[in-house]
Amino acid sequence: MQLKRVLTLRTIVATSAGLTLASSSFVAAVMAANYVLGDSAWIAILIGGALCFMAAACFSELNGLLPTAAGIRLYFSRAFNDQVSLVVSLLYMLVVVIGVVGVESYILSKVLNEAFPAIPPYFWIVVMLLLVTALNLRGVKIAGVFQDVATYSLIAVILFLGLYALYNVDFKLNAPMSPGSAEGMINAVALGVFLFVGFEWVTPLVEEVTQVKQISRGMMIALGILSVVYAVFTVAMTATVPKEILIASPAPQLVFARTVLGDFGTPLMIVIILATSLKTFNAGIISVSRFMYASAREHVLPAVFSKISMRYFTPWVSIITLFFIGLLASGLTLLTDRYQVLVGLAAAMESIVYTMAGLSVISLRRRMPQQERPYLIKGGYLIPGVTALVFALLAVAVLASDPSALLYMSVAFVVVLIYVKTAVPRIKKKYEAGKPAARRRPVRSQENTEGK
Amino acid sequence: MATHSEINESLQAFTENFNKNDRLKLMNKDWNRVVVVKATDIESVHTWILKNGVLKLNDGLTDDPDLTVISDSETLTDVFYGDLTPIEPYNNGTLRIIGTEDDITRLDFICLMMWGE
C-alpha cells in the first residue's frame, strides 16, 4: 500500500524555512544586535539557532510518537492534560497571530508608504489582508514547486546581499568573542529565537510523508540554513549601517539594501518584503483557520467557526474572523507604533511552547514507555531537560525586560484561562444536549461489542 | 471490539448516505480519490473509490490510496455511523489519517455535511 502523493525533503525544508522567514525577522535580528556589543550579533543568532535545534529534536520525538496534524494540541494533552493543552494552544494561536500579523503588517505598511507616500499606510494593510483572505476563501493554494522555488530564491538573494555587503566593506570581525554583558546576551539570544519562530509548524505535514524522520531532517536542515543566512545578513547590516539608524527603522532591511545597492536596493527589498509578508500572512491564515475549524468541531470554540463554504470547501467564518482580527491587530500596532513589544511577546510565547515541548518529551517517556519512537533523542533526559530549562529562562528574560509584553501576556493568559474554564464546558454541554438521543449504530452491534 | 462485518456495515451505511445526497455528489464530482480504511485491532481493510461524485466500497485493499484512515474497530464503526465526530478521536490520537491536509479536511467536511455537528 503506497500513498499516491508524498512530499519530498526539498518541500519540507522549503516549508519549514518559508514559515520562519518573515519581514519581522529582520527587526528581531536588529533588536538582538542592539543588545550585544560590536558585530557579535552572529553569536546570539547561532546560539538561538542551536537552541532551536534542541527544540526541533523534541518536536521530532513527539511527532514520531504521535504523528498527527493536531501537533501541540495532542502532545500537551497526552503529556499534561486536556485543559493545559487547550489553554496553551489557544494562547499560542492568539499571541502568535496578533504578534506576527501586527509586526508584519506594520513593517509592510511603513515600507510601502515610503515608496508611495501619497497612499496612507493602513490602506496597504487592508489590501494585503483582503488579498490573502480572498485567496484563502477560494481555497487557492500556491503550487508546491513554485513555493519551493520562491523560498529558495529568497534565501539565496538574502545570503548574496549579506555576503556582497561584507565584501564591499572589507569586513573583518572585531573582537568576535566579546558580546558584552551576560544580561544583554540572554536578551539577544531570546530575540534570536524569534528569528526561527514557526520552524516547527511543518510537523502537521507528517501525514503527507512516508517516513516520519523526513520531517525531523527537514526541520534541522531548515534551521541550519536559516542560522547561517540570518547570522551573515545581521552582521552585514550592522557592519554597513550604524545600529542606532537600524533600530530606529521599522524596516532595517530596506535601509540596509538602499545603503548597499543604492537606488536598485529599494525596489529589490520592497519585492522581498512583499513576498515574505504575503507568504507569512498566507501561512498564518491557513494554519490558524484550520485550527479554529478543528477546535469548533471539537466543541471548544463556538460551532459557527466550523461553517464551511459549500463551493470552495474552506472554513469561511474562521477565515473572515481572522481577517478582522488581523485588521484590528495591525490597526492598533500602526496607531501605537509599539511593534517591538509584539516581537518580544511572540518570542516569549514561542519559548513557553518550546519549554513545554521539552517537558512533554520527558513526561511521555514515562507515560508511554513502550510506544514505538521512530525518532528518539539520544542522551536520555539531557536534551529535553536542557531545552525546557533554557527556554523557560529565555521566556522569563524577555518578559522581565519588557513590562508591556508581560502585561499583555498575563492578560491574554487570564482571558484564555477563563474561557477554557467557563465557556468551553458550556459549549460542550450545548453540543451534548443537541445530540440525537439514539445512536445510529444498530443495537445489534453494541450487544456484540458488550459480548466480546 | 467491533467485527469486520460491523465495520463493513458502517461503511456501507456511509456509502449509501453519500450516494443518496445529491448535493454531496455534486460538490465532490471533481474530487476523485481512493480512501483506504484500516482497523488496528482486527484484520479489516476496506477501499473506497470516489469517482465522478459516486462512492463505491470494496472489501480489502484494491488500489493505492490518496488517503488512509487508521483506527481501532470500535472508533471506525462509530465514526462512519456518524455517532462520533471524527475530530475527537483524531485530536486525541485514536484516529490517524494519512494524506494531504486538504484531503483530510475535505473528508471531515463530508462527515459534517452528512451527520451535522
Side-chain angles (χ1 to χ4, degrees):
Chain A
M1 180 166 72
Q2 212 166 17
L3 269 179
K4 285 179 180 170
R5 295 178 191 82
V6 285
L7 291 180
T8 61
L9 185 63
R10 184 198 70 205
T11 301
I12 295 166
V13 174
T15 308
S16 183
L19 286 166
T20 306
L21 201 62
S23 299
S24 48
S25 304
F26 301 100
V27 175
V30 168
M31 284 167 73
N34 204 40
Y35 272 114
V36 289
L37 292 179
D39 46 31
S40 46
W42 61 276
I43 301 174
I45 291 171
L46 292 185
I47 293 175
L51 293 176
C52 287
F53 257 91
M54 293 200 298
C58 293
F59 276 103
S60 297
E61 182 166 328
L62 295 170
N63 194 41
L65 180 70
L66 302 163
T68 166
I72 58 167
R73 178 80 182 91
L74 178 58
Y75 310 152
F76 297 168
S77 167
R78 287 283 178 94
F80 308 104
N81 62 50
D82 198 51
Q83 275 202 348
V84 170
S85 160
L86 195 54
V87 170
V88 176
S89 304
L90 288 172
L91 194 62
Y92 184 47
M93 290 292 159
L94 188 70
V95 170
V96 171
V97 164
I98 292 179
V100 174
V101 169
V103 181
E104 285 292 309
S105 56
Y106 183 85
I107 295 168
L108 194 67
S109 60
K110 289 285 177 183
V111 166
L112 291 174
N113 183 241
E114 210 173 298
F116 309 97
I119 302 170
Y122 200 63
F123 171 82
W124 294 114
I125 294 175
V126 177
V127 169
M128 288 288 288
L129 284 174
L130 272 176
L131 177 69
V132 176
T133 304
L135 286 175
N136 272 277
L137 280 176
R138 289 186 67 107
V140 176
K141 285 265 173 89
I142 301 164
V145 177
F146 179 76
Q147 196 167 312
D148 291 359
V149 171
T151 305
Y152 288 122
S153 307
L154 208 57
I155 289 171
V157 170
I158 292 168
L159 185 63
F160 171 76
L161 198 57
L163 292 172
Y164 176 72
L166 291 175
Y167 172 76
N168 254 4
V169 295
D170 194 20
F171 179 75
K172 284 183 185 67
L173 277 177
N174 295 319
M177 300 309 279
S178 308
S181 72
E183 193 191 342
M185 193 61 185
I186 291 171
N187 276 304
V189 170
L191 286 163
V193 167
F194 178 86
L195 300 179
F196 305 96
V197 161
F199 76 85
E200 79 285 6
W201 284 35
V202 75
T203 51
L205 296 182
V206 66
E207 286 158 345
E208 300 182 42
V209 296
T210 44
Q211 290 176 312
V212 174
K213 277 190 173 179
Q214 269 195 324
I215 296 282
S216 324
R217 211 170 293 146
M219 273 196 294
M220 304 291 186
I221 295 173
L223 281 173
I225 293 173
L226 289 173
S227 298
V228 173
V229 170
Y230 281 139
V232 168
F233 195 80
T234 309
V235 172
M237 278 200 291
T238 52
T240 315
V241 185
K243 277 186 196 173
E244 48 283 7
I245 295 178
L246 290 171
I247 199 81
S249 168
Q253 64 269 52
L254 185 66
V255 179
F256 166 68
R258 198 184 291 138
T259 309
V260 176
L261 299 176
D263 287 345
F264 175 64
T266 305
L268 175 73
M269 195 46 80
I270 286 177
V271 170
I272 291 178
I273 290 172
L274 261 174
T276 45
S277 292
L278 257 177
K279 185 182 54 54
T280 306
F281 280 147
N282 197 42
I285 287 196
I286 290 175
S287 307
V288 182
S289 65
R290 297 297 185 271
F291 171 80
M292 287 170 74
Y293 167 81
S295 302
R297 290 281 283 139
E298 201 195 349
H299 318 295
V300 296
L301 281 182
V304 69
F305 293 115
S306 67
K307 285 207 180 298
I308 49 168
S309 154
M310 294 298 147
R311 194 161 171 200
Y312 302 113
F313 277 103
T314 49
W316 67 273
V317 176
S318 298
I319 293 171
I320 288 177
T321 305
L322 282 174
F323 167 74
F324 285 110
I325 292 175
L327 273 188
L328 188 70
S330 45
L332 287 174
T333 315
L334 206 60
L335 216 61
T336 57
D337 281 326
R338 304 199 66 194
Y339 62 98
Q340 293 185 346
V341 176
L342 295 178
V343 174
L345 200 61
M349 189 67 232
E350 200 71 25
S351 296
I352 291 169
V353 167
Y354 295 167
T355 302
M356 292 190 68
L359 294 175
S360 296
V361 170
I362 295 169
S363 165
L364 290 174
R365 279 191 191 173
R366 289 179 178 169
R367 289 182 187 214
M368 302 163 74
Q370 304 302 328
Q371 193 86 7
E372 190 195 349
R373 285 167 169 79
Y375 184 100
L376 181 70
I377 305 171
K378 287 177 185 157
Y381 291 125
L382 183 67
I383 289 180
V386 171
T387 305
L389 185 68
V390 170
F391 280 103
L393 286 174
L394 289 179
V396 170
V398 173
L399 294 174
S401 69
D402 189 342
S404 305
L406 178 63
L407 177 72
Y408 296 149
M409 182 69 89
S410 307
V411 170
F413 174 74
V414 170
V415 169
V416 170
L417 188 67
I418 292 172
Y419 176 82
V420 169
K421 289 273 183 197
T422 59
V424 172
R426 273 186 217 163
I427 296 170
K428 284 193 184 279
K429 206 171 163 186
K430 194 177 163 194
Y431 162 70
E432 290 297 331
K435 259 169 76 168
R439 281 160 57 108
R440 297 181 184 102
R441 186 173 168 181
V443 178
R444 175 179 56 83
S445 303
Q446 290 169 47
E447 282 168 355
N448 284 351
T449 307
E450 281 157 17
K452 284 187 167 82
Chain B
M1 195 187 290
T3 61
H4 174 72
S5 70
E6 284 174 288
I7 297 177
N8 188 284
E9 283 167 27
S10 74
L11 295 174
Q12 286 287 1
F14 188 94
T15 309
E16 281 165 26
N17 276 303
F18 182 95
N19 288 330
K20 275 193 288 189
N21 190 324
D22 290 335
R23 198 171 184 193
L24 266 179
K25 283 168 72 179
L26 183 69
M27 284 169 70
N28 291 291
K29 73 175 182 347
D30 298 324
W31 195 61
N32 297 328
R33 293 289 187 274
V34 175
V35 182
V36 166
V37 181
K38 193 174 180 294
T40 49
D41 51 347
I42 58 165
E43 279 294 318
S44 174
V45 180
H46 288 85
T47 308
W48 259 324
I49 297 173
L50 178 59
K51 200 169 179 187
N52 302 325
V54 178
L55 188 60
K56 192 180 154 213
L57 180 68
N58 295 329
D59 202 334
L61 180 68
T62 59
D63 202 347
D64 281 343
D66 296 287
L67 270 168
T68 309
V69 182
I70 306 165
S71 190
D72 60 83
S73 55
E74 272 296 304
T75 304
L76 288 176
T77 311
D78 281 344
V79 163
F80 291 112
Y81 267 123
D83 287 327
L84 186 64
T85 314
I87 215 91
E88 288 174 42
Y90 179 76
N91 273 359
N92 70 30
T94 318
L95 178 80
R96 200 180 158 207
I97 309 180
I98 304 171
T100 68
E101 196 188 355
D102 283 352
D103 283 350
I104 295 171
T105 311
R106 173 82 72 119
L107 195 60
D108 186 57
F109 284 164
I110 293 170
C111 293
L112 177 64
M113 286 193 62
M114 197 180 287
W115 308 120
E117 285 157 11

